[in-house]
Amino acid sequence: NVTIQLDGWSDVNRASLINVAAFAGRPIFWKSVNPGIQRHDADFIARTILDVIDIIIIIIMAGIGYN
């Protein structure tokens, strides 16, 4: 099982950022995204999640593990 987590926050310059992490027995930082003006846009958030899912599927199908 893999859980994908998104966490929105603002940096010291008040720029909005979204951290993307996965959890598969342990937390794995995936990437940080600067959404710009799209920060509250459902389509942008959905695309971000689907991009991560696509990569995770490729990793699983390729049999690439992590330690």
Side-chain angles (χ1 to χ4, degrees):
N1 293 339
V2 177
T3 301
I4 299 171
Q5 304 164 323
L6 277 70
D7 178 37
W9 59 287
S10 298
D11 67 10
V12 294
N13 297 315
R14 295 185 174 214
S16 294
L17 298 168
I18 298 174
N19 283 341
V20 182
F23 186 85
R26 66 180 181 161
I28 303 165
F29 173 78
W30 201 267
K31 65 181 177 178
S32 188
V33 180
N34 181 347
I37 62 171
Q38 303 176 73
R39 71 176 188 256
H40 296 293
D41 185 87
D43 289 332
F44 175 79
I45 294 170
R47 281 193 312 274
T48 301
I49 293 169
L50 291 174
D51 288 346
V52 173
I53 290 172
D54 288 343
I55 295 169
I56 289 172
I57 289 171
I58 291 169
I59 289 170
I60 291 170
M61 292 179 71
I64 300 169
Y66 61 89
N67 292 323

